[in-house]
Structures are given as structure tokens and as C-alpha cells.
Amino acid sequence: MKVTVDEDRCCGAGQCVLLAPDVFDQREEDGIVVLLDPAPRPDLHEAVREAAEVCPAAAIEIAEGA
């Protein structure tokens, strides 16, 4: 799995951080997503998929098998 984020689309809702805090964080100044791990370990994949699914701005993209 390879994860990318589009900071320009991010609205700072923070759902990704709640669901996968080992993979996502937020900038202090504006709440925009920070990608901590673009290739998360397998036990985090389901949480990352859920974070991408619930992202209100569709700012998270996942490439499976990458």
C-alpha cells in the first residue's frame, strides 16, 4: 500500500488522525494533514482505508499493492 495526500484539498477535519494516528497527523497552525508514513505496515491498512473513505475532502489516495 502506498498513501498520498493532497494538502490543497484537505479541510482539516482530522478524521484521518483519529482513525490512523501512526500514519496521519495535522499541522498545528491550520490543521492540514501531514503524512507520517506513506507505506504503512499491513496491520494499519484497514484503518488507512477507512480514513480515506471518511475524508470529507477526498484528500487521501491509496495505491493498493504498491
Side-chain angles (χ1 to χ4, degrees), residues 1-5 22-23 35-41 48 61 63 66:
M1 170 183 279
K2 182 177 180 204
V3 182
T4 56
V5 296
D22 291 334
V23 180
L35 182 60
L36 300 175
D37 188 355
R41 60 185 194 267
V48 173
E61 292 192 24

Side-chain angles (χ1 to χ4, degrees), residues 34-58:
V34 174
L35 182 60
L36 300 175
D37 188 355
R41 60 185 194 267
D43 63 308
L44 298 174
H45 288 188
E46 189 57 40
V48 173
R49 286 185 195 102
E50 187 175 350
E53 187 175 305
V54 302
C55 178

Side-chain angles (χ1 to χ4, degrees), residues 9-41:
R9 292 183 76 169
C10 178
C11 65
Q15 295 300 307
C16 57
V17 179
L18 293 173
L19 290 166
D22 291 334
V23 180
F24 305 102
D25 200 356
Q26 289 177 284
R27 295 191 305 224
E28 285 290 324
E29 62 273 9
D30 57 8
I32 298 301
V33 66
V34 174
L35 182 60
L36 300 175
D37 188 355
R41 60 185 194 267

